[in-house]
mmCIF file of all heavy atoms in Angstrom:
data_model
loop_
_atom_site.group_PDB
_atom_site.id
_atom_site.type_symbol
_atom_site.label_atom_id
_atom_site.label_comp_id
_atom_site.label_asym_id
_atom_site.label_seq_id
_atom_site.Cartn_x
_atom_site.Cartn_y
_atom_site.Cartn_z
ATOM 1 N N GLY A 176 103.767 105.474 78.309
ATOM 2 C CA GLY A 176 103.407 106.444 77.272
ATOM 3 C C GLY A 176 102.447 107.522 77.710
ATOM 4 O O GLY A 176 102.019 108.342 76.894
ATOM 5 N N VAL A 177 102.070 107.542 78.984
ATOM 6 C CA VAL A 177 101.206 108.615 79.488
ATOM 7 C C VAL A 177 102.109 109.808 79.820
ATOM 8 O O VAL A 177 103.095 109.666 80.545
ATOM 9 C CB VAL A 177 100.415 108.186 80.739
ATOM 10 C CG1 VAL A 177 99.539 109.330 81.229
ATOM 11 C CG2 VAL A 177 99.569 106.952 80.442
ATOM 12 N N GLU A 178 101.771 110.964 79.282
ATOM 13 C CA GLU A 178 102.608 112.152 79.463
ATOM 14 C C GLU A 178 101.906 113.181 80.353
ATOM 15 O O GLU A 178 100.681 113.322 80.283
ATOM 16 C CB GLU A 178 102.929 112.779 78.104
ATOM 17 C CG GLU A 178 103.682 111.856 77.163
ATOM 18 C CD GLU A 178 103.723 112.378 75.743
ATOM 19 O OE1 GLU A 178 103.500 113.596 75.552
ATOM 20 O OE2 GLU A 178 103.962 111.576 74.828
ATOM 21 N N PRO A 179 102.678 113.932 81.158
ATOM 22 C CA PRO A 179 102.074 114.938 82.038
ATOM 23 C C PRO A 179 101.765 116.257 81.312
ATOM 24 O O PRO A 179 102.157 117.329 81.747
ATOM 25 C CB PRO A 179 103.148 115.125 83.124
ATOM 26 C CG PRO A 179 104.432 114.838 82.426
ATOM 27 C CD PRO A 179 104.129 113.806 81.386
ATOM 28 N N THR A 180 101.057 116.126 80.182
ATOM 29 C CA THR A 180 100.654 117.313 79.422
ATOM 30 C C THR A 180 99.136 117.352 79.333
ATOM 31 O O THR A 180 98.476 116.297 79.374
ATOM 32 C CB THR A 180 101.221 117.301 77.994
ATOM 33 O OG1 THR A 180 100.654 116.186 77.268
ATOM 34 C CG2 THR A 180 102.739 117.174 78.000
ATOM 35 N N LYS A 181 98.584 118.540 79.183
ATOM 36 C CA LYS A 181 97.131 118.701 79.103
ATOM 37 C C LYS A 181 96.560 117.906 77.927
ATOM 38 O O LYS A 181 95.542 117.220 78.059
ATOM 39 C CB LYS A 181 96.773 120.185 78.958
ATOM 40 C CG LYS A 181 95.287 120.460 78.937
ATOM 41 C CD LYS A 181 95.006 121.947 78.815
ATOM 42 C CE LYS A 181 93.497 122.217 78.772
ATOM 43 N NZ LYS A 181 93.215 123.660 78.627
ATOM 44 N N GLU A 182 97.251 117.968 76.775
ATOM 45 C CA GLU A 182 96.762 117.305 75.555
ATOM 46 C C GLU A 182 96.712 115.788 75.736
ATOM 47 O O GLU A 182 95.705 115.141 75.416
ATOM 48 C CB GLU A 182 97.663 117.655 74.354
ATOM 49 C CG GLU A 182 97.681 119.122 73.963
ATOM 50 C CD GLU A 182 98.447 120.012 74.946
ATOM 51 O OE1 GLU A 182 99.375 119.511 75.624
ATOM 52 O OE2 GLU A 182 98.092 121.211 75.043
ATOM 53 N N ASN A 183 97.802 115.220 76.249
ATOM 54 C CA ASN A 183 97.874 113.773 76.400
ATOM 55 C C ASN A 183 96.909 113.273 77.465
ATOM 56 O O ASN A 183 96.195 112.276 77.268
ATOM 57 C CB ASN A 183 99.310 113.346 76.735
ATOM 58 C CG ASN A 183 99.481 111.837 76.732
ATOM 59 O OD1 ASN A 183 99.396 111.186 77.771
ATOM 60 N ND2 ASN A 183 99.717 111.267 75.570
ATOM 61 N N LEU A 184 96.852 113.957 78.593
ATOM 62 C CA LEU A 184 95.948 113.541 79.670
ATOM 63 C C LEU A 184 94.493 113.661 79.240
ATOM 64 O O LEU A 184 93.675 112.790 79.546
ATOM 65 C CB LEU A 184 96.218 114.376 80.927
ATOM 66 C CG LEU A 184 97.553 114.093 81.624
ATOM 67 C CD1 LEU A 184 97.861 115.165 82.661
ATOM 68 C CD2 LEU A 184 97.535 112.712 82.288
ATOM 69 N N LYS A 185 94.175 114.721 78.503
ATOM 70 C CA LYS A 185 92.793 114.900 78.019
ATOM 71 C C LYS A 185 92.394 113.746 77.110
ATOM 72 O O LYS A 185 91.281 113.225 77.197
ATOM 73 C CB LYS A 185 92.655 116.221 77.260
ATOM 74 C CG LYS A 185 91.216 116.544 76.839
ATOM 75 C CD LYS A 185 91.135 117.892 76.154
ATOM 76 C CE LYS A 185 89.682 118.327 75.935
ATOM 77 N NZ LYS A 185 88.847 117.348 75.232
ATOM 78 N N GLU A 186 93.331 113.313 76.272
ATOM 79 C CA GLU A 186 93.074 112.202 75.355
ATOM 80 C C GLU A 186 92.701 110.932 76.127
ATOM 81 O O GLU A 186 91.732 110.240 75.787
ATOM 82 C CB GLU A 186 94.327 111.958 74.510
ATOM 83 C CG GLU A 186 94.148 110.897 73.435
ATOM 84 C CD GLU A 186 95.436 110.667 72.646
ATOM 85 O OE1 GLU A 186 96.148 111.652 72.365
ATOM 86 O OE2 GLU A 186 95.727 109.504 72.343
ATOM 87 N N TRP A 187 93.466 110.640 77.186
ATOM 88 C CA TRP A 187 93.206 109.438 77.973
ATOM 89 C C TRP A 187 91.903 109.543 78.774
ATOM 90 O O TRP A 187 91.097 108.603 78.775
ATOM 91 C CB TRP A 187 94.365 109.165 78.939
ATOM 92 C CG TRP A 187 95.601 108.637 78.276
ATOM 93 C CD1 TRP A 187 96.795 109.286 78.129
ATOM 94 C CD2 TRP A 187 95.757 107.361 77.655
ATOM 95 N NE1 TRP A 187 97.693 108.483 77.460
ATOM 96 C CE2 TRP A 187 97.090 107.301 77.163
ATOM 97 C CE3 TRP A 187 94.932 106.257 77.474
ATOM 98 C CZ2 TRP A 187 97.598 106.180 76.492
ATOM 99 C CZ3 TRP A 187 95.430 105.147 76.820
ATOM 100 C CH2 TRP A 187 96.738 105.114 76.336
ATOM 101 N N PHE A 188 91.685 110.684 79.429
ATOM 102 C CA PHE A 188 90.480 110.801 80.261
ATOM 103 C C PHE A 188 89.212 110.916 79.415
ATOM 104 O O PHE A 188 88.150 110.439 79.819
ATOM 105 C CB PHE A 188 90.622 111.960 81.260
ATOM 106 C CG PHE A 188 91.458 111.586 82.462
ATOM 107 C CD1 PHE A 188 92.825 111.836 82.484
ATOM 108 C CD2 PHE A 188 90.895 110.931 83.546
ATOM 109 C CE1 PHE A 188 93.604 111.456 83.571
ATOM 110 C CE2 PHE A 188 91.659 110.544 84.636
ATOM 111 C CZ PHE A 188 93.020 110.807 84.655
ATOM 112 N N ASP A 189 89.327 111.507 78.231
ATOM 113 C CA ASP A 189 88.186 111.537 77.306
ATOM 114 C C ASP A 189 87.818 110.120 76.865
ATOM 115 O O ASP A 189 86.657 109.830 76.573
ATOM 116 C CB ASP A 189 88.501 112.395 76.071
ATOM 117 C CG ASP A 189 88.408 113.887 76.349
ATOM 118 O OD1 ASP A 189 87.964 114.262 77.453
ATOM 119 O OD2 ASP A 189 88.775 114.687 75.455
#
Side-chain angles (χ1 to χ4, degrees):
V177 180
E178 300 168 19
T180 64
K181 183 179 179 181
E182 296 73 27
N183 187 265
L184 290 168
K185 185 177 189 306
E186 185 181 321
W187 286 111
F188 281 93
D189 283 353

